[in-house]
Amino acid sequence: MFELPEWTFEFHGHRCPFMPIGYRMGTIALRLLGVEKSKDHQMHVFSEMGIGHPQGCMQDGIMSATGATFQRND
Ligand SMILES: [Zn+2]
């Protein structure tokens, strides 16, 4: 069963179907790569989703799952 932490909705700011999809994408990527969630910006994620509201929601889900932050280079 896929469980989505409640804090991810608080982080995201609203409830929608796309953020959970992104969170799931992120957790699957971590599992397939055999790595854990980034705790201090060690991870870089390149997602090619284009622009638009649903894509931004999925990006928030990926950030929540992986610990990577959007457009940060530090
Ligand atoms: Zn959303």
Side-chain angles (χ1 to χ4, degrees):
M1 178 71 181
F2 171 62
E3 292 189 28
L4 187 68
E6 188 62 29
W7 65 264
T8 58
F9 286 111
E10 295 170 18
F11 168 76
H12 184 51
H14 65 260
R15 290 185 175 271
C16 72
F18 300 105
M19 186 280 289
I21 292 170
Y23 188 87
R24 183 73 171 138
M25 292 164 68
T27 56
I28 290 171
L30 294 177
R31 187 178 70 231
L32 290 175
L33 293 169
V35 297
E36 294 186 8
K37 180 178 178 178
S38 175
K39 293 181 176 64
D40 191 24
H41 310 295
Q42 310 97 328
M43 186 178 304
H44 295 262
V45 175
F46 297 92
S47 59
E48 297 183 18
M49 296 186 190
I51 57 173
H53 185 90
Q55 290 87 342
C57 293
M58 284 192 278
Q59 297 280 18
D60 274 357
I62 291 171
M63 285 195 295
S64 297
T66 64
T69 50
F70 185 60
Q71 294 185 337
R72 288 191 59 158
N73 295 317
D74 59 348

